[in-house]
Amino acid sequence: MQTAVIKKQTKQQSRRSLWSTMVQQKWMYVLAMPGILYFILFKFAPLWGLLIAFKEYNPYKGLWGSSWIGLTNFTEMFASQTFYIMLRNTFAINIFGIIFMFPVPILLALMLNEVRHEVFKRINQSIVYLPHFLSWVVVASMTFFMLSTDVGIVNKMISSLGFETVSFLSTPNYYWGLITLQSMWKEVGWGTIIFLAAMAGVDPQQYEAAVIDGASRFKQIWHVTLPAIRPTIIILLILRLGHMADVGFEQLLLMNNPLVTSVSQVFDTYAYTIGILGGKISVGVTVGMFKGVVGLVLVMLSNYVVKKMGQEGIY
């Protein structure tokens, strides 16, 4: 009896302390309200639509009028030969991105952090950030202008040297590398912002101590800068792994053509083709739900591995 009373009093005290904390920090909650509303309206509220994945959805009958079919959509998706092609292409493009693209913003941020001339540094930051604000339509058009066999500048240079032109845009062997290079050119500069912000928080006294110990610039980076931004790198890597089933839809749709379908078909383009153009909305929702589950599993698994290695995860 006494234990129950103590537990009740403890709960009441915790509620009071939580409420008092909220009152004291009320303006922080006011500032956070737009973000909270965004997630409620656009992330949590639409979750009821996942029911479509378990129905033979008919827009005329509506969600509740459509018949239940259970896991039929998932069974058909897993049994399809297209599923394994999409799985291979999706993971291959993302693995290329992790291996070749993920380290580049770190290296670029390290180089920009070493620049001491502020004007030169800001000019370079602006230049590398600029491609992020271009649409994929513009990037795809620039790629066509550079690499097409007819008007491509690269192929004109190759032919001027006496060699045969190369079909960069219609050869499957070049497709994954081309997509990776496009993403790298467009997004690497923007990715450096986070790492530069993390480097700005490094205590200058650590660099001073390293200089006193006779450390060179490279050793200062290796022993001071990189350890300081390691938590940021780990968190971003975990979040990146959570998007392993997700590939930029606009980019692949614009760069797709019948000659590279075998390496360009991914879950996003399949959901668009079958779900939107084909009118099979249930199949599109099924693909999206599968991607979400894969992302959740990969985030939890990578976070578990990181914690087992003695590092700090995301939760």
Side-chain angles (χ1 to χ4, degrees), residues 225-247:
T225 308
L226 286 177
I229 66 172
R230 184 185 298 139
T232 304
I233 296 174
I234 291 173
I235 290 173
L236 291 179
L237 180 60
I238 292 174
L239 295 176
R240 182 68 180 81
L241 290 173
H243 288 277
M244 282 293 290
D246 190 16
V247 184

Side-chain angles (χ1 to χ4, degrees), residues 155-167:
N155 272 312
K156 285 185 176 182
M157 294 175 61
I158 292 174
S159 61
S160 66
L161 295 174
F163 299 99
E164 294 184 0
T165 58
V166 181
S167 301

Side-chain angles (χ1 to χ4, degrees), residues 93 96-97 100-101 104 128 130-148 168-169 174-190 247-257 260 264:
I93 292 172
F96 268 65
F100 298 106
M101 183 177 170
V104 177
V128 297
L130 181 61
H132 170 77
F133 300 98
L134 300 177
S135 70
W136 278 114
V137 176
V138 175
V139 176
S141 300
M142 292 172 63
T143 304
F144 179 82
F145 181 72
M146 293 290 294
L147 300 178
S148 66
F168 293 105
L169 303 178
Y174 297 143
Y175 188 79
W176 292 343
L178 180 60
I179 293 297
T180 304
L181 289 174
Q182 272 188 333
S183 301
M184 191 180 301
W185 179 79
K186 187 176 186 296
E187 301 296 345
V188 158
W190 183 255
V247 184
F249 167 73
E250 298 92 345
Q251 180 188 14
L252 267 68
L253 184 66
L254 292 167
M255 295 302 298
N256 192 19
N257 63 74
V260 295
S264 66

Side-chain angles (χ1 to χ4, degrees), residues 193-240:
I193 293 176
I194 299 176
F195 296 109
L196 283 172
M199 292 175 190
V202 180
D203 189 355
Q205 294 182 358
Q206 296 185 25
Y207 291 108
E208 294 173 1
V211 171
I212 294 173
D213 290 338
S216 62
R217 296 301 303 175
F218 177 78
K219 289 186 177 180
Q220 291 177 42
I221 294 172
W222 186 259
H223 294 288
V224 178
T225 308
L226 286 177
I229 66 172
R230 184 185 298 139
T232 304
I233 296 174
I234 291 173
I235 290 173
L236 291 179
L237 180 60
I238 292 174
L239 295 176
R240 182 68 180 81

Side-chain angles (χ1 to χ4, degrees), residues 101-118:
M101 183 177 170
F102 185 79
V104 177
I106 304 173
L107 296 175
L108 183 58
L110 289 171
M111 289 188 290
L112 288 173
N113 190 56
E114 294 300 312
V115 176
R116 293 295 174 258
H117 196 286
E118 287 298 325

Side-chain angles (χ1 to χ4, degrees), residues 118-129:
E118 287 298 325
V119 176
F120 181 76
K121 181 177 180 179
R122 290 175 183 175
I123 292 174
N124 279 274
Q125 286 177 331
S126 300
I127 291 173
V128 297
Y129 295 165

Side-chain angles (χ1 to χ4, degrees), residues 2-39:
Q2 187 177 2
T3 306
V5 172
I6 294 173
K7 287 183 179 180
K8 186 177 181 180
Q9 291 177 349
T10 305
K11 288 182 179 180
Q12 291 177 349
Q13 290 176 356
S14 62
R15 288 174 184 172
R16 291 195 195 111
S17 61
L18 176 60
W19 176 251
S20 62
T21 302
M22 292 178 66
V23 171
Q24 291 175 358
Q25 301 179 359
K26 57 182 180 295
W27 297 116
M28 296 293 293
Y29 287 97
V30 171
L31 290 173
M33 190 58 64
I36 295 172
L37 290 176
Y38 167 79
F39 277 96

